[in-house]
Structure formats: C-alpha cells, structure tokens
C-alpha cells in the first residue's frame, strides 16, 4: 500500500505512467466509435458558460494547492460541464455523472492492465475511506473490456473496501474525454464540483492519500486548508 509520507511511491507511479500512455495509445486504435448522447465540444463549452458561473472563483481557491503530489493537475481552461459522462453504477444500471450532483467528485478512469492505475488504487480507496461523505466521493470507473470478473477480482485481491464499483466496458467514457482533449492515456482523473463542472484534470497517477491531495480536496469542498 502507498505510504502517506514517502515520495518513493510517487516516483514509481511517474515511471509507470509512461508505460500506461503507450498502452492506451494502442488501445485508442479500437475505441474511436461514436457514443450515444455525446455532444460536440462547442455544445459542451456553451452549456458550461451558463451552468458553471462560479468556476473561476473556485479555481482561484484551488490554484495555490495544485502542488507536490498533485502538481500534475491542470486547471480547467474553460467552463464546461462533464455531467453527461456515462457509465454503469454499482448495481449495473446505466447512469451519468450528473446523477451524483451535489457532491465534489474525484473521477478516476482505470484498468487492470494499467500498471500505474493498479499502483494508485489503494490510495484512492484510502482517500474515499477518510473523506467520503454526502459531500465528496471518489468515483473510480473501470474500463476493462469483457466481464466484471477480472476488475472485481483485482479489487478484492488488493483489499479495496471503500470505493463503489463503477464500470464502462465499452471504454466510451475514455473516448469522450479524449475527444474533449482531457485524456491522453490512463489513469485519467477529473476534479468536478457539485454542479458537474470540471475544475481540473490530470493524465497520469498521483499520491491521492497524501497531505497535498487532502488539502486540495478540503479546498474543493470550501473548507480552509489546514
């Protein structure tokens, strides 16, 4: 499991990220199909301009905290809603990110074949265990092809207990983020506010159970940094 104070896991994650980027580059050759209900980039931005009026203020509060273990986060360049991103919920039914509105969300796309995804999963689970509430959730969406056996088996093997099981075996959610220039490879992470507005995004892994991540999430929740 990742150790909170050590920088060694962070360095290991960065090294593994290069491998994941190559793997997703090859995977992308067969995940280019159209996704039902997706909108054009112009429509996304147009909706964001009206539905994300407080984004600039939120980003100003977060910007000083994008450092250390979470320094690779990129603040959203333009207002846009990501509430239309679609996947399956823990009960297997279709859902969208908007169904989780009212919470700050850390959305993470992962796969069992992605080494840095596997490496950061215990930290995401720890973050959910410590910070998860009716105001915050880590939404880890698995994009393995095929059935649920392999991803569920992996989560059981490493002792993940706090993360809900979200899934998109079509990889449509990854393709949609790629079309919006938010995804280059795995893992992909989005920080989303209570209204489904994108605050920041990251390609590659991070040490999500460390102090830097905790301060960032506290600020996203509107709490003073400790």
């Amino acid at each position: 499991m990742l150790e909170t104070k050590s920088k060694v896991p962070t360095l290991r994650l960065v090294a593994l990220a290069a491998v994941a980027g190559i793997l997703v580059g090859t995977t992308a050759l067969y995940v280019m199909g159209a996704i039902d209900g997706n909108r054009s980039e112009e429509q996304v931005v147009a909706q964001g301009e009206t539905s994300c009026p407080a984004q600039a203020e939120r980003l100003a509060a977060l910007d000083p905290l994008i450092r250390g273990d979470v320094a690779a986060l990129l603040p959203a360049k333009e207002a846009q809603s990501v509430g239309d991103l679609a996947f399956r919920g823990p009960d297997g039914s279709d859902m969208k990110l908007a169904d989780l509105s009212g919470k700050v969300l850390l959305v993470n796309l992962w796969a069992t074949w992605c080494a840095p995804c596997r490496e950061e999963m215990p930290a995401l689970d720890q973050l959910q265990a410590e910070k998860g509430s009716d105001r915050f959730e880590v939404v880890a969406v698995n994009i393995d092809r095929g059935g649920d056996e392999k991803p569920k088996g992996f989560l059981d093997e490493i002792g993940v207990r706090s993360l809900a099981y979200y899934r998109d075996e079509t990889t449509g959610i990854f393709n949609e983020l790629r079309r919006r220039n938010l995804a280059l490879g795995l893992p992909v992470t989005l920080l989303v506010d209570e209204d489904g507005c994108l605050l920041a995004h990251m390609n590659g892994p991070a040490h999500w159970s460390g102090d830097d991540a905790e301060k960032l999430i506290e600020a996203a929740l509107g709490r003073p940094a400790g």
Side-chain angles (χ1 to χ4, degrees):
M1 179 172 285
L2 301 177
E3 297 179 5
T4 301
K5 298 298 183 182
S6 174
K7 295 298 180 183
V8 174
T10 302
L11 296 174
R12 183 166 63 248
L13 290 174
V14 171
L16 290 170
V19 177
I22 294 171
L23 289 173
V24 171
T26 58
T27 303
L29 294 176
Y30 60 84
V31 293
M32 291 296 291
I35 305 168
D36 292 341
N38 286 337
R39 303 162 296 149
S40 68
E41 183 176 354
E42 291 77 10
Q43 289 172 313
V44 170
V45 174
Q47 178 180 342
E49 289 174 349
T50 58
S51 63
C52 303
Q55 187 185 49
E57 182 180 345
R58 298 290 291 273
L59 285 175
L62 292 177
D63 188 64
L65 299 174
I66 298 178
R67 63 191 182 191
D69 290 334
V70 295
L73 270 173
L74 298 175
K77 291 182 178 180
E78 55 196 13
Q80 66 168 290
S81 172
V82 290
D84 64 325
L85 295 176
F87 46 94
R88 289 195 292 112
D91 63 355
S93 63
D94 294 337
M95 64 175 294
K96 293 185 177 181
L97 204 62
D99 296 328
L100 299 172
S101 63
K103 296 181 179 183
V104 171
L105 305 173
L106 189 73
V107 182
N108 178 272
L109 271 57
W110 69 282
T112 58
W113 47 261
C114 163
C117 302
R118 296 170 66 102
E119 190 75 18
E120 75 174 352
M121 193 58 60
L124 289 167
D125 189 55
Q126 183 177 337
L127 179 62
Q128 174 62 25
E130 295 177 354
K131 296 293 181 183
S133 68
D134 59 355
R135 295 191 59 209
F136 173 74
E137 183 177 354
V138 177
V139 180
V141 183
N142 175 265
I143 64 167
D144 276 58
R145 295 280 192 171
D148 292 332
E149 294 80 8
K150 188 173 182 180
K152 282 189 172 181
F154 166 70
L155 294 176
D156 287 341
E157 176 187 338
I158 65 171
V160 166
R161 296 290 180 265
S162 299
L163 295 174
Y165 183 68
Y166 296 104
R167 184 98 154 90
D168 178 22
E169 70 279 5
T170 72
T171 64
I173 188 173
F174 175 81
N175 266 346
E176 176 60 15
L177 292 178
R178 222 163 68 97
R179 272 195 283 271
R180 299 187 193 188
N181 296 317
L182 298 175
L184 302 174
L186 289 181
V188 179
T189 305
L190 312 176
L191 182 61
V192 181
D193 74 10
E194 299 92 334
D195 299 316
C197 298
L198 180 67
L199 294 174
H201 60 98
M202 174 189 293
N203 281 266
H207 186 49
W208 290 111
S209 60
D211 291 342
D212 294 325
E214 179 181 357
K215 291 175 182 177
L216 181 76
I217 298 304
E218 288 293 308
L221 288 167
R223 299 169 180 165

